[in-house]
Amino acid sequence: MRDEDLLDAVATAIRPKVAGEKAVVFCSHGADAVHWRHLLAAAKTADVLVLAFDDGLAAFPSTPGIRTAAQLLAERHALLATLATASPLSALVDRFDPHKRATLLITDPLNPTVTGSRPRLGAKHPSWSFFEHKSVVDVLWDSIGLPRAESAVYDAPGTLCRPEPASNTDLVYAGQPYGAVPSAGGEDIRWSSASVPSPIVDPAGRQRVRIMPMLAGTPCRLHGVVLTDSTVAFTPLELLVPRRPADGTFLCTGTAPMPESQQPRLIELTRWMGEALRRRLGYCGGFSVDGILTKSGFRPTDLNTRVTSAFEAAPPPLRVAVHASALLAQAGLRGADAAGLAEKAHRALNNAAHLTLLTVVKRPTPAARRDIRWSGLSLVACPPDEAHGSIEVTGGARGTVLRVRLGRDHLPADVSPQEVAVLAFRAADELLGTGLGDLQPPPVTGGAAPTQRSGATWPL
């Protein structure tokens, strides 16, 4: 299926909500603008304004310095809230739509509660994000019959969650401050072992903490879009999350496709989970379930009620089709081409030419770029015509950003994606002085046993 055909199929389904009126799109990438305009022109809108945070909205004031993913999201929500006031943003949109009749299309991960008086397509039900709280989500896994790891949730835990130094079980702590929205990007998650001190817990008791064992296996993301009458299940992805023994944190760096031999059964499980979310929560839209593929099967840890960053490096037409399909489902509209969307996503995620790694650098590091190549199991600087990839430090929305691109055809044989990430960031420290420090792959295990749910066996 051609990109245009996929977008036209979504446009046909969305047309009843937008035909004859103007539309304003808020999205993350300026590269998507031409495809949003194509889609909404095919949907018969009167006119389209696309505002991207890395393009048309980049000039609006923002907080300088390093920000977490949650802080960046809050900042963007605050900017969108000024649509309801006299502000530079509202003035910009009012010039395009002085009568305030344009339909707003606001893409994931954005989910602002205030956007002014204009109609909005596909706003989310407030209850859905409640289950993103790590101290709550285990109730959902139990209610749908999905096995999970043992866990305990403490209010104001104090010293109760500090294991004895002799403990032989590595533990993972997920903190949730009272009154805060769920955190994103792996923030507020720590781990400890006999050799790594347990994290400092707020002594004033201003948070809840979920504690669970660190499971050995492959960290992975099962993700898709729950449509009004079916679930699109995307290619399952390995989460590249090296551990940092210096401070007991994880470095969230990107994703890689799971081995193709494991994909069909994980896709089946993803589809089942999407249907369970619709059945239990009336859920529609993009979602992901992060977890660990262990010897006992898939064990969930987190729910994301949105299209995730897995599509950040996808071709812009596909990214627009995925986000538009999520909005379509959230608006209760039928007709998105589920088969075409799944096929396009499968090809893009499995056949990407590069493994792309991305992380925020907290040490002051000047902008720089190096071409690199493999020399055994080390990455070294090289001339451009000999390169297997590149490492680059640039400015980004969250501060100083390190981006690594490695050609998949040149990755060392018998080296896991987790180990590749560790080797790549070691090279960044050596060549660009990024100061990421010692990193370790997550604990691994061989093989995967069936996953049980509701008395049935999933052969994972």
Side-chain angles (χ1 to χ4, degrees):
M1 172 180 283
R2 297 183 310 145
D3 294 335
E4 294 80 1
D5 294 336
L6 181 58
L7 293 174
D8 287 346
V10 177
T12 299
I14 210 170
R15 188 176 299 159
K17 289 287 188 180
V18 299
E21 298 290 346
K22 293 182 177 180
V24 180
V25 179
F26 290 95
C27 62
S28 298
H29 301 281
D32 296 353
V34 63
H35 305 289
W36 278 112
R37 285 193 285 267
H38 171 93
L39 186 156
L40 291 168
K44 306 299 183 185
T45 55
D47 200 0
V48 181
L49 173 66
V50 182
L51 296 172
F53 280 94
D54 69 349
D55 188 13
L57 298 176
F60 284 79
S62 62
T63 304
I66 296 172
R67 295 189 289 286
T68 66
Q71 289 169 336
L72 178 63
L73 189 59
E75 180 181 288
R76 291 179 172 180
H77 285 169
L79 176 61
L80 291 174
T82 67
L83 288 169
T85 66
S87 70
L89 179 60
S90 63
L92 170 63
V93 179
D94 286 349
R95 286 194 294 272
F96 171 76
D97 175 44
H99 302 296
K100 300 184 186 297
R101 293 176 53 180
T103 300
L104 302 182
L105 287 77
I106 303 177
T107 63
D108 287 336
L110 300 166
N111 186 30
T113 56
V114 178
T115 55
S117 60
R118 290 180 175 87
R120 182 175 165 190
L121 181 74
K124 298 179 180 180
H125 194 282
S127 67
W128 295 345
S129 63
F130 176 70
F131 287 95
E132 291 198 22
H133 287 276
K134 295 171 178 63
S135 60
V136 173
V137 71
D138 286 347
V139 175
L140 178 62
W141 309 139
D142 293 343
S143 71
I144 67 175
L146 185 64
R148 61 175 175 87
E150 179 184 13
S151 68
V153 175
Y154 293 91
D155 285 294
T159 60
L160 289 176
C161 70
R162 298 176 187 274
E164 294 297 325
S167 172
N168 60 5
T169 300
D170 292 359
L171 299 176
V172 178
Y173 303 76
Q176 178 63 52
Y178 294 153
V181 298
S183 61
E187 290 126 18
D188 297 324
I189 300 178
R190 300 291 187 270
W191 62 278
S192 72
S193 67
S195 60
V196 177
S198 59
I200 299 299
V201 177
D202 181 1
R206 293 188 293 269
Q207 64 176 325
R208 305 186 79 199
V209 177
R210 181 187 69 182
I211 307 173
M212 60 186 296
M214 182 179 292
L215 302 176
T218 304
C220 58
R221 170 167 293 172
L222 309 185
H223 60 140
V225 177
V226 180
L227 303 176
T228 57
D229 52 6
S230 64
T231 295
V232 179
F234 297 133
T235 299
L237 301 171
E238 181 172 357
L239 294 169
L240 306 181
V241 285
R243 300 190 298 177
R244 308 180 80 168
D247 59 4
T249 61
F250 297 90
L251 191 67
C252 300
T253 67
T255 62
M258 292 288 286
E260 292 206 39
S261 62
Q262 296 178 358
Q263 290 186 17
R265 289 168 289 183
L266 290 171
I267 287 172
E268 183 184 359
L269 179 57
T270 304
R271 192 173 293 114
W272 176 83
M273 289 191 297
E275 295 300 307
L277 289 174
R278 186 197 297 110
R279 185 177 64 253
R280 286 288 182 178
L281 305 180
Y283 188 83
C284 283
F287 77 98
S288 79
V289 178
D290 293 347
I292 310 295
L293 186 59
T294 73
K295 287 195 294 186
S296 299
F298 178 78
R299 294 293 179 264
T301 56
D302 308 311
L303 172 69
N304 299 303
T305 55
R306 59 188 182 273
V307 176
T308 71
S309 58
F311 286 93
E312 287 295 288
L318 173 62
R319 193 163 54 221
V320 169
V322 170
H323 281 291
S325 295
L327 289 173
L328 187 73
Q330 288 160 205
L333 297 176
R334 302 173 183 269
D337 189 335
L341 189 63
E343 178 188 358
K344 277 284 186 183
H346 182 78
R347 289 181 179 177
L349 295 174
N350 275 294
N351 300 331
H354 294 88
L355 173 64
T356 301
L357 307 172
L358 195 70
T359 194
V360 174
V361 178
K362 296 183 178 180
R363 172 187 289 186
T365 307
R369 185 183 184 280
R370 297 286 188 276
D371 291 300
I372 52 177
R373 65 174 290 111
W374 290 99
S375 176
L377 293 182
S378 298
L379 285 162
V380 299
C382 68
D385 60 348
E386 298 177 6
H388 296 158
S390 64
I391 55 175
E392 184 176 16
V393 172
T394 60
R398 291 179 52 195
T400 303
V401 174
L402 169 64
R403 183 188 300 272
V404 181
R405 283 168 53 88
L406 298 171
R408 290 186 184 275
D409 291 345
H410 297 291
L411 297 179
D414 301 322
V415 176
S416 73
Q418 304 285 351
E419 293 169 316
V420 168
V422 170
L423 295 171
F425 291 127
R426 183 180 302 163
D429 279 1
E430 294 171 352
L431 298 175
L432 299 182
T434 48
L436 297 174
D438 181 34
L439 299 173
Q440 300 174 351
V444 298
T445 186
T451 289
Q452 302 287 333
R453 58 97 183 161
S454 300
T457 299
W458 283 87
L460 293 176

